[in-house]
Amino acid sequence: MIVVERWADAPAHHRERFAELLEEYHRRTEHEKLLGREPRPEDPAPTITLPDRYRVEIADPSTAFASEEILLAVEDDRVLGCVVLTDGPSPELKRLWVAPDARRRGVAGTLLEAATTVSRLRGDDAVRLSVWHWRSAAIALYRRSGFVAVASWDDRPGLDCLERSFD
């Protein structure tokens, strides 16, 4: 059974796994940005040097995400995925990632529902996210979960912006 735990309350080995998941997420995203699409099995694996801002997140998540809520999906003491919920006037979901060998098992949906529940319970009116337009499976999940397209708050080409209202 998949359970969701707060990173702040998680055992040390779960907290360490979050950093590994962040690195996987950033490397995959940088690879996709180079290609302008999701990689195919025949695509060569590139050598990627992550930007400093991502290396800082991986090296010290407690500082990088000090004011954010980090949630981990765990099954049988194994961390399968993560998501970060920002705080502030426009809360945002970031870094939603599921380990490739744990996909197609409802992990992303479980994390998404947990994060939106936390956002709603703390009194947010809505929560938003941005997603690369080629991530069609993720976009489909977000739409099934009540997110709708909104005007972009991010000027990077290729990003779709979505929001879920709680009213």
Side-chain angles (χ1 to χ4, degrees):
M1 180 168 120
I2 299 167
V3 296
V4 176
E5 65 184 22
R6 294 179 66 239
W7 183 82
D9 301 330
H13 64 287
H14 289 187
R15 293 164 62 108
E16 291 167 8
R17 177 67 178 133
F18 173 62
E20 295 169 3
L21 290 170
L22 275 176
E23 184 168 6
E24 290 174 18
Y25 169 86
H26 286 308
R27 289 193 181 283
R28 172 64 181 255
T29 300
E30 292 301 302
H31 187 190
E32 289 177 3
K33 289 190 307 192
L34 286 172
L35 296 171
R37 60 175 167 75
E38 291 190 74
R40 297 182 187 111
E42 65 270 15
D43 290 330
T47 301
I48 293 175
T49 301
L50 292 175
D52 288 343
R53 67 184 181 278
Y54 298 148
R55 290 198 311 261
V56 166
E57 286 182 9
I58 295 162
D60 188 5
S62 62
T63 300
F65 299 109
S67 64
E68 275 78 44
E69 181 76 52
I70 302 166
L71 301 175
L72 305 174
V74 180
E75 182 180 57
D76 297 328
D77 201 40
R78 182 172 167 248
V79 179
L80 306 176
C82 60
V83 66
V84 175
L85 173 63
T86 68
D87 197 9
S90 299
E92 189 172 352
L93 297 177
K94 298 176 152 287
R95 313 299 187 255
L96 178 59
W97 181 252
V98 175
D101 65 347
R103 293 189 179 155
R104 306 260 184 257
R105 298 182 41 220
V107 177
T110 299
L111 283 165
L112 187 59
E113 189 56 36
T116 55
T117 297
V118 168
S119 183
R120 187 179 68 249
L121 290 175
R122 70 182 187 190
D124 297 335
D125 295 328
V127 65
R128 63 187 193 167
L129 58 84
S130 60
V131 58
W132 295 104
H133 68 94
W134 56 77
R135 289 185 170 167
S136 56
I139 292 169
L141 170 65
Y142 301 145
R143 290 186 186 279
R144 285 192 310 272
S145 299
F147 285 81
V148 296
V150 295
S152 180
W153 60 83
D154 192 310
D155 61 357
R156 292 177 290 170
L159 275 178
D160 291 344
C161 294
L162 305 169
E163 183 176 271
R164 180 175 170 185
S165 295
F166 299 130
D167 47 1

